[in-house]
């Protein structure tokens, strides 16, 4: 009886043990489907690796199903986690522990006091947050690939292409640069969003601000906390379709090598005035062309500090049950 009691206590301790941060290998569609069906919390996916939270008891169960798991951190969320693309020359100066790496991409564990040091390095880092990927994320892997087919020349499509104007694109990019900096929560970010809304309205589009509160503990709440807003211009389709298309790009900018400078001078010509300009020019041209489906032209805010604006947009669409049939996300298209 005593041995049975100790065994039961041991199993209870395992079942209630602290969660582990793990890397789960999903090399085939069948293995990936098994993982998705297991309904464990996945926080990021760099194909074919999922980054998730498991208890020690979960690991042997998954192993029996053919799913390989590697424990990255036994003291999960006691420190901050960041993905980064790191050249070899920078490896020695990283203020944290490399938990996982593939080629030049790494996942780092960083103490609170070293977050600002990490973000001051001349490289891009993206926080791993304790936010579970939604079920809709995995649907992109569930379908069958359909090859593109050759399309015959179409006079209407050619007319749209011919209406694109290089001078217009250049002017939008220059205007975006002229704000000096479009860093999230800065005065110029607010001014840029207003200019975008005014421009879309001048073309006859109804415009909405999609406001959200920025608080980013994973980045030490840098560059601050407060309200930001996406800009959404809407074109109504002729067929009243339930689904819609989205054409967009983020309008904020940053200087990762000098985050203090970013408050003053982050013109962001390529990243991402070009993408913003591309979406704007699509809107300017398509205003005169009837479309069967609704089209939303989006300018997303707070992307550089963690893809916040587009995540808010996607989450809102998911919660409302909106059917988005396609997205063209323009990012650094002038590089």
């Amino acid at each position: 009886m005593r041995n049975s009691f100790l065994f039961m206590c041991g199993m209870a301790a395992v079942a209630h043990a602290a969660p582990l941060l793990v890397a789960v290998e999903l090399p085939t569609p069948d293995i990936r489907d098994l993982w998705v069906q297991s309904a464990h919390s996945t926080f990021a996916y760099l194909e074919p690796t999922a980054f998730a939270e498991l208890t020690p008891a979960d690991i042997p169960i998954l192993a029996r199903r053919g799913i390989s798991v590697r424990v990255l951190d036994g003291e999960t969320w006691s420190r901050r986690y960041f993905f980064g693309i790191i050249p070899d020359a920078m490896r020695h100066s990283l203020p944290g522990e490399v938990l996982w790496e593939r080629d030049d991409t790494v996942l780092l564990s960083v103490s609170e006091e070293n977050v600002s040091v990490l973000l001051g390095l001349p490289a891009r880092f993206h926080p791993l947050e304790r936010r579970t990927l939604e079920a809709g994320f995995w649907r992109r892997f569930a379908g069958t690939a359909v090859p593109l087919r050759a399309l015959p020349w179409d006079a209407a499509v050619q007319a749209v292409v011919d209406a694109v104007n290089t001078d217009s694109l250049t002017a939008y990019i220059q205007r975006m640069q002229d704000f000096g900096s479009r860093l999230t929560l800065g005065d110029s970010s607010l001014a840029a969003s207003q200019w975008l809304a005014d421009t879309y309205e001048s073309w006859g589009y109804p415009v909405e601000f999609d406001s959200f509160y920025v608080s980013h503990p994973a980045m030490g709440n840098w560059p601050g906390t407060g309200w930001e807003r996406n800009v959404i211009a809407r074109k109504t389709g002729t067929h009243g379709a339930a689904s819609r298309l989205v054409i967009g790009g983020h309008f904020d900018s940053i200087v990762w090598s000098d985050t203090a400078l970013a408050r003053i001078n982050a013109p962001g010509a390529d990243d991402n005035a070009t993408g913003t300009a591309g979406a704007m020019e699509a809107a300017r041209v398509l205003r005169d062309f009837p479309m069967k489906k609704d089209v939303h032209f989006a300018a997303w805010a707070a992307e550089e500090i963690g893809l916040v604006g587009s995540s808010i947009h996607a989450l809102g669409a998911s919660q409302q049950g909106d059917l988005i049939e396609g997205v063209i996300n323009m990012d650094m298209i002038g590089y």
Side-chain angles (χ1 to χ4, degrees):
M1 288 292 294
R2 182 174 182 276
N3 289 339
S4 297
F5 176 74
L6 291 175
F7 175 78
M8 292 172 64
C9 290
M11 290 301 294
V14 169
H16 294 87
L20 309 170
L21 181 69
V22 299
V24 183
E25 297 306 318
L26 310 175
T28 67
D30 289 344
I31 295 294
R32 185 173 59 233
D33 290 344
L34 284 174
W35 170 252
V36 174
Q37 291 164 14
S38 71
H40 292 294
S41 296
T42 305
F43 307 118
Y45 181 58
L46 299 181
E47 192 171 6
T49 306
F51 298 87
E53 191 174 87
L54 296 175
T55 68
D58 294 324
I59 296 175
I61 296 172
L62 291 170
R64 287 194 292 271
R65 303 183 72 186
I67 300 176
S68 174
V69 177
R70 174 188 163 197
V71 176
L72 301 180
D73 193 351
E75 299 180 3
T76 313
W77 311 110
S78 62
R79 291 155 66 90
R80 303 281 183 81
Y81 303 118
F82 290 87
F83 287 106
I85 299 177
I86 311 298
D88 290 339
M90 193 184 296
R91 292 295 181 99
H92 69 281
S93 59
L94 293 174
E97 179 186 358
V98 176
L99 302 179
W100 174 91
E101 59 184 305
R102 181 195 298 149
D103 300 326
D104 56 355
T105 301
V106 301
L107 175 63
L108 294 167
S109 171
V110 183
S111 63
E112 182 77 34
E113 58 269 22
N114 281 329
V115 169
S116 59
V117 177
L118 179 74
L119 297 181
L121 296 175
R124 280 202 170 186
F125 297 95
H126 180 69
L128 174 65
E129 299 179 335
R130 199 174 192 176
R131 183 170 61 187
T132 303
L133 297 176
E134 294 187 359
F137 172 86
W138 299 104
R139 294 193 195 111
R140 72 183 68 181
F141 304 102
T144 302
V146 178
L148 295 176
R149 59 187 176 88
L151 295 176
W153 180 84
D154 187 294
V157 173
Q158 189 63 55
V160 173
V161 173
D162 291 343
V164 175
N165 188 293
T166 303
D167 289 342
S168 295
L169 289 163
T170 303
Y172 307 149
I173 293 170
Q174 185 62 59
R175 181 65 185 90
M176 296 291 284
Q177 289 185 84
D178 289 345
F179 285 107
S181 170
R182 302 185 304 280
L183 180 68
T184 297
L185 299 176
D187 292 343
S188 292
S189 177
L190 181 67
S193 66
Q194 188 63 57
W195 173 76
L196 286 162
D198 292 345
T199 303
Y200 279 120
E201 286 181 340
S202 73
W203 293 332
Y205 288 106
V207 177
E208 294 180 5
F209 287 119
D210 180 12
S211 298
F212 55 91
Y213 193 79
V214 175
S215 178
H216 214 311
M219 298 185 70
N221 279 326
W222 185 89
T225 59
W227 288 94
E228 263 293 355
R229 56 190 187 181
N230 299 326
V231 183
I232 312 295
R234 305 174 185 271
K235 179 179 178 66
T236 303
T238 59
H239 284 42
S243 62
R244 68 170 181 261
L245 308 173
V246 177
I247 301 175
H250 75 87
F251 69 86
D252 60 310
S253 62
I254 202 168
V255 179
W256 280 111
S257 59
D258 190 341
T259 52
L261 175 65
R263 299 182 184 277
I264 303 167
N265 185 33
D270 183 44
D271 189 8
N272 187 35
T274 57
T276 306
M280 293 176 69
E281 184 65 354
R284 186 190 70 81
V285 170
L286 292 175
R287 64 179 172 170
D288 297 325
F289 291 89
M291 304 284 287
K292 291 182 180 180
K293 298 180 182 295
D294 289 0
V295 183
H296 289 188
F297 302 96
W300 294 299
E303 288 293 278
E304 294 288 13
I305 64 167
L307 313 179
V308 182
S310 62
S311 296
I312 292 293
H313 188 183
L315 179 61
S318 176
Q319 290 175 339
Q320 296 173 44
D322 295 346
L323 177 57
I324 298 177
E325 192 165 328
V327 178
I328 299 176
N329 178 17
M330 302 197 192
D331 197 88
M332 300 174 70
I333 62 173
Y335 186 78

